[in-house]
Amino acid sequence: MREAFAAGRRVRFDPTAPRRGRTVPGGLLSSLLADLPPDGLRGAALRLVGAHVVGRFALEGLRVDHVVDLENCTFEEKPDLRMARLVGLRMRGCRVPGLLGRNLRVGSDLVLEAGFTSDDAVDLTDATVEGTLRLAGAVLHGGDDHALLAARIRLSGSLQAIALRATGEVRLRGANVGGSVHLGGARLVNAGQNALDATGVTIAGNLFCDAEGGRFAAEGRILLDGARVGGNVVFSGARLHANVTDRPVLVIPRGTADESAALVADRIRVEGNVELDDGFTSSGTVRLPNADIGGYLRLSGAEIGSREVVEELTDATGPEPAEPAGEVQRIPVALHADGIQVRGDLEARGAVNGGFRGGGARDTALRVHGQVRLVDAHVRGSASLSGVQLHGPGIDVLFADRLRVGGTLFLRNLRAHGSLRLQNAEIGSTLDCSGATLLAPRGRPDGTVKPSLDARVATVGKDLLCSHGFTAAGGVRVRLAEVGKMATFAGARLGGPGSGIALNAYGLTVQQLVLRLDAGQAPVGRVLLTRCAATAVFDGPGLWAATGGVEVEDFTFRSITSAPQVDVRTRLRWLREVQPDFAPGPYEQLAAVYRDGGEEELAQLVQVEKQRRRFAELGVAGRVWGFLQHWTVGYGYRPWLAIAWLTGFWLLGALWFLGHEMPKLNDDESPSWNAWLLAVDLLVPIVDLGQDGKWRFSGASQWISSALIAVGWILASTAAAGAARVLKRT
């Protein structure tokens, strides 16, 4: 042994031989390294293969300037390397009862791989490795305790732990890695506790927990909170399962967050991308609150959340919203990313991926069981959730108040059992919900349901698209929202059982509002267009057939069209049907649109209908006066009717008096009888043509003259009222 050590030769033992024939005292190995003179032996190295080391192998506090290379060796006692300074240490395939290496310093690589097995914790706390720590294929048994203790370890190179097997916690808390961390294909088991604790770790390169060397799997919680990663964080294809029960916390809206987190990455900072895709599964919550991601966040092909908990919700609320359920107090959270910052895109849709897979295979979209929280999140690029499946019956399955997206938020063909909440969201381009199906919305205590899509006070820079089969069983709320160009609900199905309001567009501001609904697509519930302001409106008969009516008070627009086109009388009928109580505003608005479009006759029809409904709601005297106004001057919008009526009564009066000349009232005067002038003088008040008051009327002529006077006053007053309206409009 001494000669081989001095020459740096490898000493081989037959691993299949009995231990007695390959036993080496640990003290001998320690003395060889400890008793070496300071100037040493050039080329000396400890190289053993297949040895069985008995007794203590202790280098505590020693400085060893020669390589220690042990392969397939077994140890009866834990090697003690605490505070040692080694030039290099390799223990490929060795089996140890544990390893003591606190404050160990290795001048090159530390190799514990290729079947290295430890029956107790490998303690490398505060160690320094001026190379790479290699744990590829290692098997670490920590039982219910720690498998690897490497808190605050400093690695100049990488951590290579592909296909690592660890039973017990792997602790890398506060570690500093100059290269990358490779955990592809690793399996970490510490059920009910932390499988990997990398809190506050600093990694200059990438963190790989992917399918390289087999799928990465963890039975226990992964902690990455406060970590700093200079490259990418990749969990593609990883499988995480955690049954760590956290203390329930109250959340807004009312309820209790049920978070059994599998991946905890609070406040993580990643300069590159975060990939939780390509078959990534997590039975517990994935936590990314206040994370800062320099690239994109990819979730395509992932499945997150507990199916069991969601099945309990389904049993409580029913798979379909046939009967509205009360408000759910327990809120299972699948993805918690409040306050996250993503400087690139958020990608969770299904897409064809021909490069990585090579065959043009299609990735499935994200599937979530529980709530996705994106409160105060900021995505500088676009966020694509097209085709995503969200399962959370009776809860806000997407809770994203004050979400900011620089580009487009794609929700195309999304399938959700639960409500989408986007209050005060800011979307730089388009909110695209085309073809989305939103069922089983969140319930209220009184048995009604809340909106399936709640985007109140949201700001959308370009378009809001809720068409092409868009379905919202709880209705849509865009109250006080601002949409830069178009908001379309063409062909949408809005509302369902328990939804009092199918569409709440109170105070919505938009350029084009498309409510083109066929007769068979009538919203179930009320449609609120109160104080909505649009430049152009496109509607259909289905809108005005809403089961709860349509509220249009202070609804302003500059043009309104329908496909197929409808006439003004149809629009007036729609207004009568949705407004049982008269309000002048909608009629004034519709008349203004026709008038601005050069269709003065249609505007007059609207104004006449407005006045007819106005007088119809007054008392008996008001209704009589309205009747006269309608048939005489058309409420002032048909003044030619008064002239026609005056002409008719003048002719009748003149014809009567032509055959019934009256005697003079005063013999001192000698007026000339003129039946035509007499009829005019009786009909037209105030004007004196020298005939009225000159004749003594008797018999039927007395009644006819009185009737002409009364008719004249009525027609004159109505004509004056009509003229006043004409002058006012002018």
Side-chain angles (χ1 to χ4, degrees):
M1 285 293 300
R2 292 182 185 278
E3 291 175 358
F5 169 69
R9 295 197 310 271
R10 192 178 304 275
V11 178
R12 290 183 176 274
F13 295 93
D14 183 3
T16 62
R19 288 184 175 180
R20 187 173 184 179
R22 52 189 180 92
T23 298
V24 176
L28 172 62
L29 302 180
S30 301
S31 64
L32 288 176
L33 297 170
D35 296 340
L36 198 66
D39 54 353
L41 297 172
R42 192 174 300 276
L46 179 59
R47 304 178 188 275
L48 285 178
V49 178
H52 177 64
V53 181
V54 297
R56 292 193 66 205
F57 176 55
L59 299 176
E60 183 178 3
L62 295 180
R63 180 186 182 98
V64 179
D65 294 326
H66 299 278
V67 172
V68 178
D69 187 356
L70 308 175
E71 184 176 349
N72 296 327
C73 296
T74 59
F75 290 77
E76 286 190 349
E77 297 186 23
K78 297 180 181 180
D80 190 350
L81 307 176
R82 290 173 292 180
M83 295 177 288
R85 296 173 64 89
L86 307 179
V87 68
L89 175 62
R90 293 190 288 268
M91 299 183 72
R92 294 188 183 91
C94 293
R95 184 171 191 124
V96 297
L99 180 64
L100 303 177
R102 292 179 70 92
N103 298 107
L104 170 67
R105 188 180 186 94
V106 181
S108 59
D109 291 353
L110 174 56
V111 181
L112 306 173
E113 62 181 4
F116 173 85
T117 302
S118 176
D119 295 327
D120 202 352
V122 173
D123 189 353
L124 297 175
T125 304
D126 293 312
T128 300
V129 178
E130 297 176 3
T132 296
L133 173 57
R134 299 184 180 276
L135 290 165
V139 180
L140 308 180
H141 298 288
D144 295 332
D145 205 347
H146 299 90
L148 173 64
L149 284 168
R152 299 177 299 282
I153 191 172
R154 292 175 295 279
L155 304 178
S156 299
S158 299
L159 171 58
Q160 295 282 350
I162 295 174
L164 171 69
R165 298 293 182 267
T167 304
E169 181 183 312
V170 174
R171 175 169 292 185
L172 297 173
R173 182 179 296 176
N176 192 315
V177 182
S180 298
V181 174
H182 297 265
L183 288 167
R187 180 173 178 81
L188 312 180
V189 179
N190 195 25
Q193 301 182 63
N194 298 327
L196 172 63
D197 183 356
T199 302
V201 68
T202 300
I203 302 172
N206 304 308
L207 170 60
F208 294 104
C209 297
D210 53 6
E212 182 183 359
R215 288 183 181 272
F216 175 85
E219 183 78 20
R221 185 165 51 185
I222 305 295
L223 297 181
L224 291 171
D225 43 333
R228 299 290 182 268
V229 181
N232 301 326
V233 173
V234 182
F235 278 83
S236 300
R239 294 177 177 174
L240 309 183
H241 178 72
N243 54 4
V244 182
T245 302
D246 295 331
R247 178 178 297 177
V249 294
L250 295 177
V251 295
I252 297 175
R254 289 181 297 172
T256 302
D258 183 3
E259 292 189 359
S260 296
L263 174 61
V264 179
D266 299 26
R267 304 177 308 283
I268 190 173
R269 184 182 182 89
V270 181
E271 298 299 329
N273 307 318
V274 174
E275 301 181 18
L276 309 175
D277 61 345
D278 194 22
F280 171 84
T281 60
S282 173
S283 64
T285 304
V286 173
R287 289 183 53 88
L288 293 168
N290 300 306
D292 191 335
I293 300 174
Y296 59 75
L297 171 60
R298 193 161 196 267
L299 298 164
S300 297
E303 184 171 1
I304 304 175
S306 173
R307 290 189 178 186
E308 292 76 13
V309 175
V310 172
E311 287 174 358
E312 293 178 10
L313 289 178
T314 304
D315 293 339
T317 61
E320 301 294 337
E323 294 294 337
E327 187 174 23
V328 176
Q329 296 298 319
R330 184 184 180 190
I331 302 176
V333 178
L335 176 62
H336 188 172
D338 290 357
I340 191 174
Q341 301 279 334
V342 180
R343 302 181 191 277
D345 294 342
L346 190 159
E347 184 70 49
R349 63 174 179 168
V352 175
N353 188 340
F356 179 74
R357 295 170 178 262
R362 185 173 184 83
D363 291 336
T364 58
L366 170 68
R367 297 186 302 280
V368 174
H369 306 279
Q371 186 180 81
V372 175
R373 295 182 61 90
L374 292 171
V375 177
D376 293 309
H378 185 191
V379 179
R380 295 194 177 182
S382 294
S384 180
L385 301 178
S386 296
V388 167
Q389 299 179 28
L390 306 176
H391 301 279
I395 66 173
D396 289 314
V397 71
L398 175 61
F399 186 33
D401 286 5
R402 299 178 298 281
L403 168 68
R404 289 183 293 162
V405 178
T408 297
L409 174 56
F410 292 98
L411 302 176
R412 297 175 64 91
N413 300 314
L414 179 141
R415 298 292 181 268
H417 280 75
S419 296
L420 309 185
R421 177 164 162 158
L422 297 167
Q423 294 182 15
N424 297 96
E426 295 181 17
I427 312 300
S429 182
T430 298
L431 174 55
D432 189 353
C433 302
S434 302
T437 301
L438 313 179
L439 305 175
R442 182 179 168 213
R444 294 188 178 95
D446 61 0
T448 60
V449 296
K450 295 194 174 182
S452 289
L453 174 60
D454 187 353
R456 75 174 90 173
V457 203
T459 302
V460 180
K462 191 177 179 183
D463 299 327
L464 169 61
L465 308 179
C466 297
S467 56
H468 294 91
F470 173 80
T471 301
V476 174
R477 178 189 288 164
V478 285
R479 180 184 177 92
L480 299 176
E482 296 182 9
V483 180
K485 293 184 67 176
M486 178 177 66
T488 175
F489 296 89
R493 295 194 175 274
L494 306 174
S499 61
I501 301 177
L503 175 61
N504 186 344
Y506 178 96
L508 171 67
T509 303
V510 64
Q511 293 295 314
Q512 296 181 15
L513 179 59
V514 182
L515 297 168
R516 194 168 287 154
L517 304 175
D518 295 335
Q521 299 169 332
V524 181
R526 285 185 298 158
V527 174
L528 269 62
L529 299 176
T530 307
R531 297 190 179 180
C532 177
T535 302
V537 176
F538 303 87
D539 64 352
L543 168 67
W544 304 100
T547 61
V550 183
E551 296 186 14
V552 292
E553 186 66 24
D554 293 328
F555 177 31
T556 59
F557 48 89
R558 295 183 182 176
S559 67
I560 184 167
T561 57
S562 181
Q565 193 62 261
V566 297
D567 56 24
V568 64
R569 288 181 172 81
T570 301
R571 293 204 173 277
L572 293 176
R573 175 173 58 82
W574 288 346
L575 273 179
R576 287 195 301 271
E577 291 173 352
V578 301
Q579 273 201 317
D581 297 326
F582 169 73
Y587 292 95
E588 293 287 352
Q589 176 62 50
L590 186 58
V593 169
Y594 284 129
R595 190 180 303 112
D596 293 343
E599 298 174 310
E600 187 65 35
E601 293 182 357
L602 300 183
Q604 288 182 3
L605 286 175
V606 176
Q607 293 287 11
V608 168
E609 176 65 12
K610 182 192 77 171
Q611 295 297 334
R612 188 193 67 78
R613 292 201 62 188
R614 171 173 169 262
F615 283 103
E617 294 191 1
L618 299 177
V620 175
R623 288 196 294 270
V624 171
W625 180 247
F627 177 81
L628 293 175
Q629 288 270 343
H630 177 72
W631 290 107
T632 54
V633 292
Y635 303 105
Y637 298 98
R638 298 171 181 169
W640 55 269
L641 280 176
I643 299 174
W645 282 105
L646 284 171
T647 302
F649 278 101
W650 171 61
L651 290 174
L652 290 174
L655 291 174
W656 173 264
F657 289 122
L658 282 174
H660 300 81
E661 184 175 348
M662 298 292 104
K664 293 185 291 185
L665 182 64
N666 190 347
D667 293 335
D668 297 335
E669 296 181 4
S670 301
S672 299
W673 175 260
N674 189 322
W676 301 99
L677 289 178
L678 176 61
V680 172
D681 214 357
L682 291 172
L683 276 172
V684 180
I686 302 175
V687 177
D688 187 3
L689 298 179
Q691 292 292 324
D692 187 16
K694 304 296 184 179
W695 313 100
R696 181 182 294 111
F697 295 98
S698 61
S701 296
Q702 185 176 8
W703 290 102
I704 290 174
S705 63
S706 299
L708 290 175
I709 293 172
V711 168
W713 275 103
I714 293 173
L715 290 177
S717 61
T718 53
R725 289 193 182 95
V726 172
L727 292 174
K728 184 177 181 180
R729 292 200 306 273
T730 304

Coordinates of all heavy atoms in Angstrom, one line a residue, residues 164-223:
L164 N -29.9 11.0 -9.7 CA -29.7 10.9 -8.2 C -30.9 10.2 -7.6 O -32.1 10.5 -8.0 CB -29.5 12.3 -7.6 CG -29.4 12.4 -6.1 CD1 -28.2 11.7 -5.6 CD2 -29.5 13.8 -5.7
R165 N -30.7 9.4 -6.6 CA -31.7 8.8 -5.8 C -31.5 9.2 -4.4 O -30.4 8.9 -3.8 CB -31.8 7.3 -5.9 CG -32.0 6.7 -7.3 CD -33.5 7.1 -7.8 NE -33.8 6.6 -9.1 CZ -33.6 7.3 -10.2 NH1 -33.1 8.5 -10.2 NH2 -34.0 6.7 -11.4
A166 N -32.5 9.9 -3.8 CA -32.3 10.4 -2.4 C -33.6 10.1 -1.6 O -34.7 10.5 -2.0 CB -32.0 11.9 -2.4
T167 N -33.4 9.5 -0.5 CA -34.5 9.2 0.5 C -34.2 10.1 1.7 O -33.2 9.8 2.5 CB -34.6 7.8 0.9 OG1 -34.7 7.0 -0.3 CG2 -35.7 7.5 1.8
G168 N -34.9 11.2 1.9 CA -34.7 12.2 2.9 C -34.4 13.5 2.2 O -34.4 13.6 1.0
E169 N -34.3 14.5 2.9 CA -34.2 15.9 2.4 C -32.8 16.1 1.7 O -31.8 15.8 2.3 CB -34.4 16.9 3.5 CG -34.4 18.4 3.0 CD -34.5 19.4 4.1 OE1 -35.5 19.2 4.9 OE2 -33.7 20.3 4.2
V170 N -32.9 16.7 0.6 CA -31.7 17.2 -0.1 C -31.6 18.7 0.2 O -32.5 19.5 -0.3 CB -31.7 16.9 -1.6 CG1 -30.5 17.6 -2.3 CG2 -31.6 15.4 -1.8
R171 N -30.7 19.2 1.0 CA -30.6 20.5 1.4 C -29.5 21.3 0.7 O -28.3 21.0 0.9 CB -30.5 20.6 2.9 CG -30.3 22.1 3.5 CD -30.4 22.2 4.9 NE -31.8 21.9 5.4 CZ -32.2 22.0 6.7 NH1 -31.3 22.4 7.6 NH2 -33.4 21.7 7.0
L172 N -29.9 22.3 0.0 CA -29.0 23.2 -0.7 C -29.2 24.6 -0.3 O -28.9 25.6 -1.1 CB -29.1 23.0 -2.2 CG -28.8 21.6 -2.8 CD1 -29.1 21.6 -4.3 CD2 -27.4 21.3 -2.6
R173 N -29.8 24.8 0.8 CA -30.2 26.2 1.2 C -29.0 27.1 1.2 O -27.9 26.8 1.9 CB -30.8 26.1 2.6 CG -31.3 27.5 3.2 CD -31.9 27.3 4.5 NE -33.1 26.5 4.5 CZ -33.7 26.1 5.6 NH1 -33.3 26.6 6.8 NH2 -34.8 25.4 5.5
G174 N -29.1 28.3 0.5 CA -28.0 29.3 0.5 C -26.8 28.9 -0.3 O -25.8 29.5 -0.3
A175 N -26.9 27.8 -1.1 CA -25.8 27.3 -1.9 C -25.5 28.4 -3.0 O -26.3 29.1 -3.5 CB -26.1 26.0 -2.5
N176 N -24.2 28.3 -3.4 CA -23.7 29.2 -4.5 C -23.0 28.4 -5.5 O -22.0 27.8 -5.3 CB -22.8 30.3 -3.9 CG -22.5 31.4 -4.9 OD1 -22.2 31.1 -6.1 ND2 -22.5 32.6 -4.5
V177 N -23.7 28.3 -6.7 CA -23.2 27.4 -7.8 C -22.7 28.3 -8.9 O -23.5 29.0 -9.5 CB -24.3 26.4 -8.2 CG1 -23.7 25.5 -9.3 CG2 -24.8 25.6 -7.0
G178 N -21.5 28.1 -9.3 CA -20.9 28.9 -10.4 C -21.4 28.4 -11.7 O -21.3 29.2 -12.7
G179 N -21.8 27.2 -11.9 CA -22.3 26.7 -13.1 C -23.8 26.4 -13.1 O -24.5 27.2 -12.6
S180 N -24.1 25.2 -13.5 CA -25.5 24.8 -13.5 C -25.8 23.7 -12.6 O -24.9 23.0 -12.1 CB -25.9 24.4 -15.0 OG -25.8 25.4 -15.9
V181 N -27.1 23.5 -12.2 CA -27.5 22.4 -11.4 C -28.3 21.4 -12.3 O -29.3 21.8 -12.8 CB -28.3 22.9 -10.2 CG1 -28.9 21.7 -9.4 CG2 -27.5 23.8 -9.3
H182 N -27.8 20.2 -12.4 CA -28.4 19.2 -13.2 C -29.0 18.1 -12.3 O -28.3 17.3 -11.7 CB -27.4 18.5 -14.1 CG -26.8 19.5 -15.1 ND1 -27.2 19.7 -16.4 CD2 -25.7 20.3 -15.0 CE1 -26.5 20.6 -17.0 NE2 -25.6 21.0 -16.2
L183 N -30.4 18.1 -12.3 CA -31.1 17.1 -11.5 C -32.0 16.3 -12.4 O -33.0 15.6 -11.9 CB -31.9 17.7 -10.4 CG -31.1 18.3 -9.2 CD1 -31.9 19.2 -8.3 CD2 -30.5 17.2 -8.4
G184 N -31.8 16.3 -13.7 CA -32.6 15.5 -14.6 C -32.6 14.0 -14.3 O -31.6 13.4 -14.0
G185 N -33.8 13.5 -14.2 CA -34.0 12.0 -13.9 C -33.8 11.7 -12.4 O -33.9 10.5 -12.1
A186 N -33.6 12.7 -11.6 CA -33.4 12.4 -10.2 C -34.7 12.1 -9.5 O -35.8 12.5 -10.0 CB -32.8 13.7 -9.5
R187 N -34.6 11.3 -8.5 CA -35.8 10.9 -7.7 C -35.6 11.2 -6.3 O -34.7 10.6 -5.6 CB -36.2 9.4 -7.9 CG -37.4 9.0 -7.1 CD -37.8 7.6 -7.4 NE -39.0 7.2 -6.6 CZ -40.3 7.5 -6.9 NH1 -40.5 8.2 -8.0 NH2 -41.3 7.1 -6.2
L188 N -36.3 12.2 -5.7 CA -36.2 12.6 -4.4 C -37.4 12.3 -3.6 O -38.5 12.7 -3.9 CB -35.9 14.1 -4.3 CG -34.9 14.7 -5.3 CD1 -34.8 16.2 -5.2 CD2 -33.5 14.0 -5.1
V189 N -37.2 11.5 -2.5 CA -38.3 11.0 -1.7 C -38.2 11.5 -0.3 O -37.2 11.1 0.4 CB -38.5 9.5 -1.8 CG1 -39.6 9.0 -0.9 CG2 -38.6 9.0 -3.2
N190 N -39.2 12.3 0.2 CA -39.2 12.7 1.6 C -40.7 13.0 1.9 O -41.0 14.2 2.1 CB -38.3 13.8 1.9 CG -38.0 14.0 3.4 OD1 -38.2 13.0 4.2 ND2 -37.7 15.2 3.8
A191 N -41.5 12.0 1.9 CA -43.0 12.2 1.9 C -43.4 13.0 3.1 O -42.9 12.8 4.3 CB -43.7 10.9 1.9
G192 N -44.2 14.0 2.9 CA -44.8 14.8 4.0 C -43.8 15.9 4.5 O -44.2 16.7 5.4
Q193 N -42.6 16.0 3.9 CA -41.7 17.0 4.3 C -41.0 17.6 3.0 O -41.5 17.4 1.9 CB -40.6 16.4 5.2 CG -41.2 15.8 6.5 CD -40.2 15.3 7.4 OE1 -39.3 16.0 7.9 NE2 -40.2 14.0 7.7
N194 N -39.9 18.2 3.2 CA -39.2 18.8 2.0 C -38.3 17.8 1.4 O -37.4 17.2 2.0 CB -38.3 20.0 2.5 CG -39.2 21.1 3.1 OD1 -40.3 21.3 2.7 ND2 -38.6 21.8 4.1
A195 N -38.5 17.6 0.1 CA -37.6 16.7 -0.7 C -36.4 17.5 -1.1 O -35.3 16.9 -1.1 CB -38.4 16.2 -1.9
L196 N -36.5 18.7 -1.5 CA -35.4 19.6 -1.9 C -35.6 20.9 -1.3 O -36.6 21.6 -1.6 CB -35.3 19.6 -3.5 CG -34.2 20.6 -4.0 CD1 -32.8 20.2 -3.6 CD2 -34.3 20.7 -5.5
D197 N -34.6 21.3 -0.5 CA -34.7 22.7 0.1 C -33.5 23.5 -0.5 O -32.4 23.3 -0.1 CB -34.5 22.6 1.6 CG -34.6 24.0 2.2 OD1 -34.7 25.0 1.5 OD2 -34.6 24.1 3.5
A198 N -33.9 24.3 -1.5 CA -32.9 25.2 -2.2 C -33.2 26.6 -2.0 O -33.0 27.5 -2.8 CB -32.8 24.8 -3.7
T199 N -33.7 26.9 -0.8 CA -34.1 28.3 -0.4 C -32.9 29.2 -0.5 O -31.8 28.9 0.0 CB -34.6 28.4 1.0 OG1 -35.8 27.5 1.1 CG2 -35.1 29.8 1.4
G200 N -33.0 30.3 -1.3 CA -31.9 31.3 -1.3 C -30.7 30.9 -2.1 O -29.7 31.5 -2.1
V201 N -30.8 29.8 -2.9 CA -29.7 29.3 -3.7 C -29.4 30.3 -4.8 O -30.2 31.0 -5.3 CB -30.0 27.9 -4.3 CG1 -31.1 28.0 -5.4 CG2 -28.8 27.3 -4.8
T202 N -28.1 30.4 -5.1 CA -27.6 31.3 -6.3 C -27.0 30.4 -7.3 O -26.0 29.7 -7.0 CB -26.7 32.3 -5.8 OG1 -27.3 33.2 -4.8 CG2 -26.2 33.2 -6.9
I203 N -27.5 30.4 -8.5 CA -27.0 29.5 -9.6 C -26.7 30.4 -10.7 O -27.6 31.1 -11.3 CB -28.1 28.5 -10.0 CG1 -28.5 27.6 -8.8 CG2 -27.6 27.6 -11.1 CD1 -29.6 26.7 -9.0
A204 N -25.4 30.4 -11.1 CA -25.0 31.3 -12.2 C -25.6 30.8 -13.6 O -25.8 31.6 -14.5 CB -23.5 31.4 -12.3
G205 N -25.7 29.5 -13.7 CA -26.2 28.9 -14.9 C -27.6 28.5 -14.9 O -28.5 29.3 -14.5
N206 N -27.9 27.3 -15.3 CA -29.3 26.8 -15.3 C -29.6 25.8 -14.2 O -28.7 25.2 -13.6 CB -29.5 26.1 -16.7 CG -29.2 27.0 -17.9 OD1 -29.7 28.1 -18.0 ND2 -28.4 26.5 -18.8
L207 N -30.9 25.7 -14.0 CA -31.4 24.7 -13.0 C -32.2 23.7 -13.9 O -33.3 24.1 -14.4 CB -32.2 25.3 -11.9 CG -33.0 24.3 -11.0 CD1 -32.0 23.4 -10.3 CD2 -33.9 25.0 -10.0
F208 N -31.7 22.5 -14.0 CA -32.4 21.4 -14.8 C -33.0 20.4 -13.8 O -32.3 19.7 -13.1 CB -31.5 20.8 -15.7 CG -31.0 21.7 -16.8 CD1 -29.7 22.2 -16.8 CD2 -31.8 22.0 -17.9 CE1 -29.2 23.0 -17.8 CE2 -31.3 22.9 -18.9 CZ -30.0 23.4 -18.8
C209 N -34.3 20.3 -13.8 CA -35.0 19.2 -13.1 C -36.0 18.6 -14.1 O -37.2 18.6 -13.9 CB -35.8 19.8 -11.9 SG -34.7 20.5 -10.6
D210 N -35.4 18.1 -15.2 CA -36.2 17.7 -16.3 C -36.1 16.2 -16.6 O -35.9 15.4 -15.6 CB -35.8 18.5 -17.6 CG -34.3 18.4 -17.8 OD1 -33.6 17.6 -17.1 OD2 -33.8 19.1 -18.7
A211 N -36.4 15.8 -17.8 CA -36.4 14.4 -18.1 C -35.1 13.8 -18.7 O -35.1 12.7 -19.2 CB -37.5 14.2 -19.2
E212 N -34.0 14.6 -18.6 CA -32.7 14.0 -19.0 C -32.3 12.9 -18.1 O -32.2 13.1 -16.8 CB -31.7 15.2 -19.0 CG -30.3 14.7 -19.5 CD -29.3 15.8 -19.5 OE1 -29.7 16.9 -19.1 OE2 -28.1 15.5 -19.8
G213 N -32.1 11.7 -18.6 CA -31.8 10.6 -17.7 C -33.0 10.0 -17.1 O -32.9 9.2 -16.1
G214 N -34.2 10.3 -17.6 CA -35.4 9.8 -16.9 C -36.2 11.0 -16.3 O -35.6 12.1 -16.1
R215 N -37.4 10.9 -16.0 CA -38.2 12.0 -15.5 C -37.7 12.3 -14.0 O -37.6 11.5 -13.2 CB -39.7 11.7 -15.4 CG -40.3 11.6 -16.8 CD -41.8 11.4 -16.7 NE -42.5 11.3 -18.0 CZ -43.0 12.4 -18.6 NH1 -42.9 13.6 -18.0 NH2 -43.6 12.3 -19.7
F216 N -37.6 13.6 -13.8 CA -37.4 14.1 -12.5 C -38.6 13.9 -11.7 O -39.7 14.2 -12.1 CB -37.0 15.6 -12.5 CG -36.9 16.2 -11.1 CD1 -35.7 16.1 -10.4 CD2 -37.9 16.8 -10.5 CE1 -35.6 16.6 -9.1 CE2 -37.8 17.4 -9.2 CZ -36.6 17.3 -8.5
A217 N -38.5 13.3 -10.5 CA -39.7 13.0 -9.6 C -39.3 13.4 -8.2 O -38.2 13.1 -7.7 CB -40.1 11.6 -9.7
A218 N -40.3 14.0 -7.5 CA -40.1 14.3 -6.1 C -41.3 14.0 -5.3 O -42.5 14.4 -5.7 CB -39.8 15.8 -6.0
E219 N -41.1 13.2 -4.3 CA -42.2 12.9 -3.3 C -41.9 13.7 -2.1 O -41.2 13.3 -1.2 CB -42.2 11.4 -3.0 CG -43.3 10.9 -2.0 CD -44.6 10.7 -2.8 OE1 -44.6 10.6 -4.0 OE2 -45.6 10.7 -2.1
G220 N -42.5 14.9 -2.1 CA -42.2 15.9 -1.0 C -42.1 17.3 -1.7 O -42.2 17.4 -2.9
R221 N -41.9 18.2 -0.9 CA -41.9 19.6 -1.4 C -40.6 20.1 -1.9 O -39.5 19.8 -1.4 CB -42.4 20.5 -0.2 CG -42.6 22.0 -0.6 CD -43.4 22.7 0.5 NE -42.8 22.5 1.8 CZ -43.4 23.0 2.9 NH1 -44.5 23.6 2.8 NH2 -42.8 22.8 4.1
I222 N -40.6 20.9 -3.0 CA -39.4 21.5 -3.6 C -39.5 23.0 -3.2 O -40.4 23.7 -3.5 CB -39.4 21.4 -5.1 CG1 -39.6 19.9 -5.5 CG2 -38.2 22.0 -5.7 CD1 -38.4 19.1 -5.1
L223 N -38.4 23.4 -2.4 CA -38.3 24.8 -2.0 C -37.3 25.6 -2.8 O -36.1 25.2 -2.8 CB -38.0 24.9 -0.5 CG -39.0 24.3 0.5 CD1 -38.5 24.4 1.9 CD2 -40.3 24.9 0.3

